[in-house]
Amino acid sequence: RGELLRVLRFEGGPVDPLVPEPAAEGEARYATPAPEFELSVVRPEPGRAFEARARRGVEILCCSEGRGEVADFAGGAPLAVR
C-alpha cells in the first residue's frame, strides 16, 4: 500500500484520451508508456478465430458481449467464455 501511495498523484488536470491503434486483424491496441500494461480490444469477425501473434505474459480476459473459446495452441482444453 505504501508504494502505491508513493507513486500516485492526486491532482486534477487535462486528460489525454488514448486512441486505439490497429494491431492484428480484429484487434485494436491501446498503447501505454508501460508495455507490460496494455489494453487490447479483440473483435474477430463472426466464425473467425483470433490468434495473438506476440508471446504475452499474464493476461486478463473480459468478455462483454457474445461468447467464444480461449485456447492455448501449445495444448490444453479450450475454455468457454461468455
Side-chain angles (χ1 to χ4, degrees), residues 51-80:
E51 182 177 342
R53 294 191 171 26
R55 183 172 212 99
R56 302 175 182 194
V58 174
E59 294 191 55
I60 298 172
L61 173 67
C62 297
C63 181
S64 62
E65 185 177 324
R67 60 180 65 192
E69 285 186 340
V70 177
D72 179 357
F73 289 110
L79 173 66

Side-chain angles (χ1 to χ4, degrees), residues 20 24-28 30 40-50 64-65:
E25 185 179 334
E27 178 184 21
Y30 292 85
S40 290
V41 176
V42 177
R43 290 189 176 112
E45 293 293 322
R48 303 222 25 207
F50 170 78
S64 62
E65 185 177 324

Side-chain angles (χ1 to χ4, degrees), residues 15-19:
V15 176
D16 295 325
L18 293 175
V19 177

Side-chain angles (χ1 to χ4, degrees), residues 18 30-39:
L18 293 175
Y30 292 85
T32 69
E36 68 275 8
F37 181 77
E38 195 169 78
L39 175 68

